[in-house]
Amino acid sequence: MSLSREHAADLSPDTVVVAAGRPERSHDQPVNPPIVLSSTYFGTGALSDGDRGYGRYANPTWDPFEEALAQLEGAELPGLLYASGLAAVSSALSLVRAGGVLVMPTHSYAGSLAMATELAAKGNLELRTVDIADTDAVKSQLAPADGKPADMLWIESPTNPMLGIADVRALTAAAHEAGAIVVTDNTFSTPLVQQPLSLGSDVVLHSVTKYLAGHSDVVLGALVTSKPELRAELLHHRIIHGGIAGPFEAWLALRGLRTLALRIERSQASAAVLAERLGTHPRVESIRFPGLPTDPGHERAKSQMKGFGSILCIQLAGDGTRSGADAADQLVRALRLWLPATSLGGVESLIERRRRHTGEPLSVPDNLVRMSVGIENVEDLWADLEQALKALDR
Ligand SMILES: *Cc1c(COP(=O)(O)O)cnc(C)c1O
């Protein structure tokens, strides 16, 4: 690859997203990596370490993205791409030994929580869920006075969809003291906003589907670690469980990554403007956005994030004629520019009432609407919200 890890470490991440993962600079080589469509590779005799061998073990199309992600997260080893964020979750959870204890946020990504709950129901592991923003509560689950210490701490910060902020430094220190591995799902922040390895995490997880690919046209996941023994175990899991990335998706993700810095800059700025305005709107009962000085996670977010992300959550007020949940549904339907759809992190602004999903935890309020701010003009986004909020008066 033409950008070395040492050189990348001296550059701003805004530059690394553009420069990383390009082919060697030799005369007449393409400036972008090719898509390699091959299920197998020429070879005779025994395979040695680093040989590709077969399409489930390796594909050269993965390498540029895996290297770029490592450089962005400040990792010492290439990342690992997966078929989806959930395939990456599955691989990460395989690090919990049989019967081991997993501590996970109550408000984790619903799919991660569902997978952990199923594994626990089958007796494969013991699941302890906890409010990840409550550092003391997490500590007591990691090393209870009268119970087994944890094998793994799962961190999401900000949480989905409650936008709680975990004290990542304090939690990773406590987890390591208890002998647990720490996995941080960094999907909401991206490495441009938060670098969990530098805060002490052992493994970083991404749903590449979201900000990294950024155009809502790819489903992909990734893991990153600087620990050779963990990476070897994860790679082995990927090979034998087969949750590998398609080459076309990997190529699209790298293409999407090129504009990540610009997209994040714009969407974070717009989210801050919208949060400010929504926070004082009479139809909005409450708002969560770590960028607001009044938000309970604000100080913590400031200490470990560069910016505050571009997801915000509002709870709609009910009135004499309808409940807050009905008002939320009506708001979503009245929008003309915001897209009523799940997911987040794309160029387009997305909005949904979370409890429309039957699997959403009941601890998520039924009038809560999650908004993923895209890169459209912020005044257009606001005008659309304003007209839809006004329509609630009719
Ligand atoms: C979407 C998401 C996932 C799952 O990723 P997929 O690509 O949908 O499989 C995991 N964690 C978070 C925080 C997510 O938003």
Side-chain angles (χ1 to χ4, degrees):
M1 234 82 49
S2 63
L3 183 70
S4 69
R5 228 164 274 161
E6 296 70 43
H7 189 182
D10 288 338
L11 299 171
S12 159
D14 300 15
T15 304
V16 175
V17 295
V18 178
R22 294 198 185 273
E24 288 304 334
R25 298 168 174 241
S26 50
H27 183 70
D28 256 2
Q29 281 303 300
V31 300
N32 290 308
I35 301 176
V36 177
L37 297 169
S38 187
S39 64
T40 191
Y41 304 93
F42 289 111
T44 56
L47 294 181
S48 35
D49 261 7
D51 281 359
R52 294 198 181 101
Y54 179 62
R56 187 162 27 75
Y57 307 162
N59 185 306
T61 322
W62 303 339
D63 303 347
F65 187 90
E66 291 181 338
E67 181 56 32
L69 189 57
Q71 293 181 0
L72 289 166
E73 290 285 5
E76 285 160 27
L77 299 167
L80 292 165
L81 264 176
Y82 289 85
S84 66
L86 254 287
V89 171
S90 171
S91 210
L93 288 182
S94 76
L95 297 174
V96 181
R97 70 188 156 79
V101 173
L102 167 67
V103 176
M104 215 177 205
T106 312
H107 291 121
S108 303
Y109 178 74
S112 311
L113 205 53
M115 194 186 298
T117 305
E118 273 189 30
L119 290 169
K122 286 182 181 156
N124 295 6
L125 54 78
E126 183 191 327
L127 176 63
R128 297 181 190 149
T129 56
V130 65
D131 175 3
I132 202 76
D134 184 343
T135 304
D136 289 336
V138 181
K139 282 183 181 166
S140 70
Q141 293 301 329
L142 286 170
D146 53 354
K148 270 199 285 192
D151 269 39
M152 178 180 285
L153 171 64
W154 195 270
I155 296 179
E156 267 186 55
S157 181
T159 59
N160 178 38
M162 301 304 284
L163 302 183
I165 305 289
D167 185 342
V168 181
R169 283 188 197 88
L171 294 185
T172 53
H176 288 154
E177 201 167 307
I181 298 172
V182 181
V183 177
T184 300
D185 184 335
N186 205 27
T187 301
F188 270 40
S189 295
T190 84
L192 268 57
V193 176
Q194 175 170 270
Q195 289 183 308
L197 296 182
S198 76
L199 300 171
S201 297
D202 302 295
V203 179
V204 176
L205 184 143
H206 283 284
S207 169
V208 178
T209 312
K210 314 292 168 54
Y211 290 98
L212 299 183
H215 294 72
S216 304
D217 52 9
V218 167
V219 175
L220 217 53
L223 295 174
V224 190
T225 180
S226 287
K227 305 228 155 106
E229 67 288 358
L230 291 182
R231 189 180 185 279
E233 215 176 318
L234 295 167
L235 173 60
H236 178 73
H237 183 273
R238 184 176 73 175
I239 290 170
I240 61 168
H241 289 256
I244 59 161
F248 191 55
E249 282 79 359
W251 188 89
L252 273 175
L254 185 67
R255 183 189 159 101
L257 190 73
R258 297 296 183 216
T259 54
L260 180 66
L262 285 174
R263 288 186 280 111
I264 295 272
E265 192 179 316
R266 166 70 84 108
S267 63
Q268 285 203 141
S270 298
V273 169
L274 297 175
E276 191 75 49
R277 294 181 190 176
L278 286 167
T280 55
H281 196 285
R283 285 280 174 189
V284 176
E285 183 182 278
S286 72
I287 180 163
R288 280 304 301 260
F289 178 65
L292 291 172
T294 48
D295 191 89
H298 182 66
E299 288 306 319
R300 224 179 240 176
K302 252 191 356 198
S303 78
Q304 62 193 21
M305 295 166 76
K306 214 172 104 193
F308 302 100
S310 46
I311 309 288
L312 44 100
C313 287
I314 54 172
Q315 284 176 247
L316 272 289
D319 57 34
T321 58
R322 62 174 99 67
S323 67
D326 287 345
D329 280 336
Q330 204 169 320
L331 170 80
V332 170
R333 285 201 195 95
L335 289 161
R336 295 188 298 232
L337 184 58
W338 290 75
L339 269 57
T342 196
S343 199
L344 55 107
V347 290
E348 68 293 306
S349 295
L350 299 176
I351 186 165
E352 70 171 337
R353 185 173 74 86
R354 284 300 298 179
R355 284 274 298 279
R356 76 192 180 95
H357 302 286
T358 47
E360 192 74 357
L362 297 180
S363 52
V364 174
D366 66 354
N367 61 342
L368 181 137
V369 171
R370 186 183 74 187
M371 307 164 74
S372 168
V373 180
I375 63 168
E376 303 92 334
N377 180 285
V378 66
E379 295 305 335
D380 287 339
L381 290 175
W382 173 245
D384 194 27
L385 285 170
E386 212 177 17
Q387 66 80 21
L389 285 163
K390 199 161 191 178
L392 294 175
D393 296 338
R394 286 199 291 272

